[in-house]
Amino acid sequence: MDTINSSIPWSLIMPIIVLQLILAVVGLVSLYKAEAIRGPKWLWVIIILCGNILGSVAYFIIGRKDAS
Amino acid sequence: MRQFLLFFRKEMLEMGRSFKWLWVPLVFLMLGIMQPVVTRFMPVILESSGNMPKGMTITIDPPSGMEVMAQTLGQFNSVGLMILVLSIMTLISGERQSGVSQMIFAKPVSYLSYAAAKWAIMLSLVTASFVLGYAGAWYYTVQMIGSVETAAALKAALLYMLWLWFTGSLTLFMSSLMNSAAGIAFVSLGAAILLSMASTWLPRYAYSPGFLPEISVQWLQASEKPTGDLGAAILCLMCMIFFFMIAAYQVKIRKSNV
Amino acid sequence: MTRTLLQVRDLSKRFREREVVKGITFSIAEGSCAALLGPNGAGKTTTIRMLTGLLQPSGGSIKLLINGSPTTDRRPYIGFLPQMPVFYPWMTGAEFLLYAGELAGLTNREAKRETGEWLEAVGLRDEGKRRIGGYSGGMKQRLGLAQALIHRPKLLILDEPVSALDPTGRKDVLTLLQRIRRETTVLFSTHVLHDAEEICDEILMIRSGAIALQGSLEHVRRTHSEPVIRLEVGEDEASRSWLTAACSKNFVIHSEVSGRRAKLRVENVEQASLALMADAASRRIMIRSLEAGRSTLEDLFLKVVQS
């Protein structure tokens, strides 16, 4: 494992993790502020937290109701 | 022109408030970065998964930088294309369906400005997302895999962006014709996939916008440089203008639905 | 002297085989308030959408006369509030008004000033900074009025402005309309006669796409009201059969009976009521109530709608 760890350029991997975090946080903030969404909020919280980027993307595409 | 700016400003605001300006470019950036990263660590991942018979070594030829860039375009052409279509599909149909368009079009507004603002916002979103994603892929490929030939990569990017513009225009065109969001997404994605698949069956002299992704991949990979890019690009631009004109006309004759 | 503002001739609309509006002709004088009155499905919304330019008529002409001459583009002079208006839920009320004002051709500065004024006028001064997504139906209706009026149109067209509101919201909007109609010519559609009577001076009754009746409220009231007697008797069998018998007396022109109540149209109210009372007394029938009067607009409306 040591060889793997040392061979991973963490400075390049970190941005990916940060990006995922940003997407998840933005998704959660938008969910918190949203007045109308499809489906229960708690379900979307789980999806956003567990679904990596796909979870957040799914929320933005399916969960948000843009027109009222 | 004044009305175009008013409409465009409203579209910008809407895309900002619905977080589209954030998540669509971010998803493209992720798509772009992931390909070189996954490629780089594939041997490590396979090794550590550990279900190899003892003594067997895997020899994967490490792909070149250009190959990884080509694979990234492949990612854009599946997940990226879907994200793109889904994020803009209701741009025209949504307002007609909800009924806001009744109030807008009862005012002395220009339909051409209205449609032009829709096109402008679509092109902005597509361009920003693609440029960000491609730049990310380029940087990571150079850092982790190997060198990328600048001229070829730029040319490939330009041709591929045209293809995304075409798909975006097609989606807006469908959005002006149809009401159901699912229908718009299905037809637009279906047509785009069919067009790009058809490029492998069609003879080379048939210029189709569907050739564009194929041609840009070839610019990155093939030893001999592809032909027919100019024809496909011109036809693509002509299709976009055609889609725009029809959509503007549709907006004029179908001002609302309710 | 009043000038004509809107002149509609033989206006018709056909959706495939179905003719929804069948050649209606009317005109609206400058400064008046007209109600387009009719039951649901009579063609009110279709007519209104043709007037605003949202729908292309199949036939006929619509002329908006500005300073006596017809305009080619009516839209700058018309303010329109659709039935149950929809906005962008992500915009604030003030942002929407500003947007609507600028789209209607006001400069940014004018639009800003008008936005402030109209938010105040429709009672949304504080709510103007909030997102429309959180507005109630009544607030949306008032915001809708503001966006229709922001460019000071000559003609304000409203589609069922109070039908979907609760009593408070309805009262708010009607009060606003009372004020607006002093400055602007108003045309609004409704299926509730009461709303029309409250603020209008002209009515246009339409039924299945054709005009059934039109004129000033006073004129219609005068020419179409008829002498009527309303009778109510007791629950018992004898009273009821007397009521039925009373309907076939020779002085009764037309009658409607429902349970122990009856409405009788007669030639002469005084003679008829005396005769009815005498008859009832001689048969020892209790008359609970007898009202001698004239038919109301409500009766006329029901007659027009049902016939």
Side-chain angles (χ1 to χ4, degrees):
Chain A
M1 282 308 276
D2 285 350
T3 52
I4 298 176
N5 270 336
S6 59
S7 71
I8 293 178
W10 285 107
S11 60
L12 287 176
I13 302 298
M14 271 313 283
I16 299 179
I17 299 166
V18 171
L19 277 185
Q20 291 217 8
L21 271 176
I22 295 178
L23 264 178
V25 168
V26 170
L28 288 176
V29 168
S30 141
L31 183 63
Y32 175 74
K33 283 164 71 177
E35 267 140 13
I37 51 163
R38 293 190 184 86
K41 277 198 181 188
W42 60 267
L43 187 66
W44 283 116
V45 172
I46 295 173
I47 292 174
I48 291 173
L49 288 179
C50 303
N52 280 338
I53 50 166
L54 279 183
S56 310
V57 168
Y59 164 69
F60 280 119
I61 292 175
I62 305 162
R64 280 185 61 89
K65 271 187 189 163
D66 289 330
S68 87
Chain B
M1 195 59 199
R2 188 178 117 85
Q3 284 200 335
F4 167 77
L5 288 176
L6 281 173
F7 283 130
F8 186 68
R9 206 172 59 199
K10 174 252 156 190
E11 296 296 339
M12 286 295 267
L13 197 64
E14 176 162 24
M15 285 223 165
R17 296 226 173 129
S18 63
F19 299 99
K20 268 185 198 153
W21 264 126
L22 201 79
W23 71 265
V24 180
L26 277 190
V27 168
F28 267 80
L29 184 57
M30 286 291 269
L31 282 178
I33 295 179
M34 285 315 265
Q35 192 62 34
V37 170
V38 168
T39 311
R40 169 72 173 72
F41 292 114
M42 196 48 97
V44 186
I45 294 164
L46 284 180
E47 226 167 85
S48 61
S49 67
N51 45 12
M52 293 282 161
K54 255 214 156 90
M56 184 178 173
T57 47
I58 344 149
T59 45
I60 305 173
D61 279 340
S64 73
M66 293 304 260
E67 268 166 356
V68 174
M69 288 300 279
Q71 287 162 2
T72 310
L73 285 189
Q75 287 290 322
F76 286 159
N77 220 24
S78 49
V79 187
L81 214 57
M82 195 174 79
I83 295 288
L84 183 91
V85 168
L86 291 178
S87 61
I88 60 170
M89 62 190 174
T90 54
L91 223 49
I92 294 176
S93 66
E95 294 185 357
R96 188 176 54 218
Q97 280 283 80
S98 77
V100 201
S101 58
Q102 286 193 60
M103 272 189 284
I104 304 300
F105 292 134
K107 300 239 177 314
V109 297
S110 141
Y111 308 105
L112 217 56
S113 298
Y114 179 84
K118 298 284 183 192
W119 245 263
I121 194 72
M122 178 274 288
L123 293 178
S124 312
L125 185 72
V126 171
T127 308
S129 304
F130 174 70
V131 166
L132 193 66
Y134 199 75
W138 196 332
Y139 179 75
Y140 268 70
T141 303
V142 170
Q143 294 294 316
M144 301 180 106
I145 312 283
S147 66
V148 171
E149 201 185 309
T150 309
L154 282 179
K155 186 141 191 189
L158 213 62
L159 289 172
Y160 193 79
M161 192 148 79
L162 265 181
W163 165 244
L164 289 184
W165 285 1
F166 171 83
T167 312
S169 302
L170 177 69
T171 311
L172 287 191
F173 170 66
M174 294 316 302
S175 189
S176 76
L177 290 174
M178 300 169 72
N179 287 325
S180 128
I184 295 163
F186 183 78
V187 175
S188 313
L189 268 178
I193 289 168
L194 222 66
L195 269 177
S196 72
M197 277 192 347
S199 65
T200 50
W201 318 323
L202 284 173
R204 256 359 276 255
Y205 51 80
Y207 299 125
S208 146
F211 279 129
L212 287 169
E214 179 82 13
I215 294 172
S216 45
V217 164
Q218 281 173 8
W219 265 105
L220 289 168
Q221 274 185 313
S223 46
E224 85 240 47
K225 294 307 170 197
T227 53
D229 46 357
L230 192 68
I234 289 172
L235 192 72
C236 169
L237 286 172
M238 278 164 58
C239 285
M240 283 172 60
I241 294 169
F242 172 76
F243 288 156
F244 171 73
M245 299 306 276
I246 302 281
Y249 179 69
Q250 282 294 318
V251 166
K252 186 182 175 188
I253 61 168
R254 294 174 61 198
K255 293 173 188 119
S256 83
N257 233 37
V258 276
Chain C
M1 204 202 119
T2 53
R3 278 193 303 189
T4 304
L5 180 66
L6 184 74
Q7 207 167 61
V8 176
R9 278 217 184 93
D10 293 321
L11 186 67
S12 67
K13 182 67 191 179
R14 183 187 293 278
F15 293 112
R16 297 214 171 80
E17 297 93 67
R18 222 160 53 86
E19 199 169 26
V20 182
V21 177
K22 301 167 185 162
I24 60 177
T25 299
F26 65 90
S27 61
I28 294 174
E30 213 162 294
S32 67
C33 174
L36 195 58
L37 190 64
N40 291 326
K44 299 189 298 282
T45 299
T46 310
T47 306
I48 277 186
R49 289 178 52 196
M50 285 193 282
L51 296 181
T52 55
L54 288 172
L55 207 60
Q56 200 62 34
S58 308
S61 71
I62 303 168
K63 277 188 192 141
L64 189 72
L65 301 146
I66 301 299
N67 301 325
S69 55
T71 52
T72 41
D73 190 359
R74 295 191 296 278
R75 297 178 304 169
Y77 308 101
I78 288 183
F80 173 52
L81 171 64
Q83 188 170 8
M84 284 191 262
V86 183
F87 302 87
Y88 302 111
W90 51 268
M91 267 194 187
T92 67
E95 280 168 344
F96 190 86
L97 283 189
L98 191 66
Y99 181 56
E102 288 190 277
L103 281 184
L106 302 183
T107 65
N108 183 269
R109 185 186 296 179
E110 285 169 342
K112 268 189 183 134
R113 197 189 59 224
E114 295 288 318
T115 294
E117 265 177 44
W118 281 107
L119 279 178
E120 185 84 46
V122 299
L124 291 174
R125 203 185 49 161
D126 299 326
E127 287 90 344
K129 295 180 204 78
R130 280 177 30 209
R131 299 256 167 117
I132 303 172
Y135 280 21
S136 70
M139 285 157 74
K140 281 187 188 164
Q141 207 77 29
R142 281 181 282 150
L143 183 65
L145 265 179
Q147 68 79 32
L149 288 161
I150 195 155
H151 55 299
R152 312 259 167 192
K154 292 266 181 205
L155 174 64
L156 176 67
I157 299 179
L158 314 159
D159 194 2
E160 299 270 3
V162 290
S163 311
L165 299 180
D166 58 26
T168 348
R170 180 196 197 86
K171 195 170 162 287
D172 287 348
V173 171
L174 283 175
T175 316
L176 262 170
L177 279 180
Q178 296 271 25
R179 232 168 64 207
I180 291 159
R181 63 150 301 184
R182 278 183 235 139
E183 292 155 26
T184 315
T185 312
V186 179
L187 170 69
F188 77 100
S189 75
T190 178
H191 63 267
V192 185
L193 174 76
H194 187 71
D195 299 335
E197 276 186 294
E198 205 156 311
I199 47 177
C200 281
D201 38 36
E202 294 271 332
I203 58 170
L204 294 154
M205 270 194 210
I206 71 169
R207 179 171 46 95
S208 37
I211 288 192
L213 194 74
Q214 72 181 98
S216 78
L217 203 57
E218 269 319 301
H219 176 79
V220 169
R221 216 177 244 149
R222 227 179 18 247
T223 48
H224 290 272
S225 78
E226 292 153 331
V228 154
I229 292 175
R230 287 185 181 75
L231 260 178
E232 189 184 338
V233 294
E235 277 293 5
D236 56 299
E237 199 50 48
S239 301
R240 279 167 179 253
S241 55
W242 174 80
L243 194 65
T244 325
C247 290
S248 50
K249 297 251 188 254
N250 54 1
F251 53 79
V252 175
I253 302 167
H254 179 84
S255 66
E256 280 167 51
V257 188
S258 57
R260 48 203 187 84
R261 289 195 187 85
K263 198 161 83 189
L264 312 174
R265 212 164 84 210
V266 294
E267 287 281 358
N268 185 314
V269 187
E270 283 81 35
Q271 281 175 16
S273 19
L274 285 174
L276 280 169
M277 283 190 281
D279 190 44
S282 69
R283 286 164 209 258
R284 307 191 64 75
I285 299 291
M286 245 305 266
I287 292 181
R288 287 282 179 83
S289 84
L290 185 150
E291 187 192 328
R294 304 185 75 80
S295 65
T296 61
L297 223 48
E298 190 78 48
D299 299 321
L300 177 65
F301 181 50
L302 286 175
K303 202 171 91 188
V304 165
V305 167
Q306 281 158 1
S307 66

